Amino acid sequence: MSERFRVAAKKNDDVDIVFFIGRLDVTSAVQAEEFIQNLIETGARKIGIHCGELSYMSSAGLRVILGSFMQIRELDGDVRLSNLKPEIKEIISMCGFDEVFSIYPDDIALIESYSS
């Protein structure tokens, strides 16, 4: 049985931290995309995606984070990543996304990066 995907968020000052939990694949990508889209539509411009609870990310998941990045950049915002497990970091690096996204070891560093 596959692990159910969940998504949640918390706001820290003006930074929205999105928690992806479980498997981010073709079946869960729509849920993730709609969640981030809702944040953007309600004014979020500084988004951090916490990947520490992700057990798997497919190309559909990569498309979600890249699409979010491109959309929010048009609005003078940014999407940054934190807490990447080694297997998720490897996927991000293999696709060259480590050259696109700012990546931080934890949420504190990510939040502080928006202040500097």
Side-chain angles (χ1 to χ4, degrees), residues 40-80:
I40 293 170
E41 287 175 1
T42 58
R45 295 297 177 265
K46 298 176 181 177
I47 296 177
I49 299 178
H50 175 105
C51 300
E53 305 305 317
L54 265 180
S55 58
Y56 174 79
M57 183 186 298
S58 73
S59 60
L62 292 168
R63 180 188 56 78
V64 167
I65 63 170
L66 183 60
S68 300
F69 176 82
M70 291 170 49
Q71 181 182 8
I72 205 160
R73 276 295 180 96
E74 290 178 7
L75 300 169
D76 294 323
D78 200 11
V79 174
R80 300 175 184 181

Side-chain angles (χ1 to χ4, degrees), residues 85-104:
K85 291 180 177 179
E87 57 272 19
I88 302 297
K89 188 170 187 167
E90 183 178 354
I91 293 167
I92 296 286
S93 295
M94 284 181 2
C95 296
F97 282 20
D98 57 339
E99 300 294 324
V100 175
F101 289 93
S102 297
I103 299 172
Y104 298 90

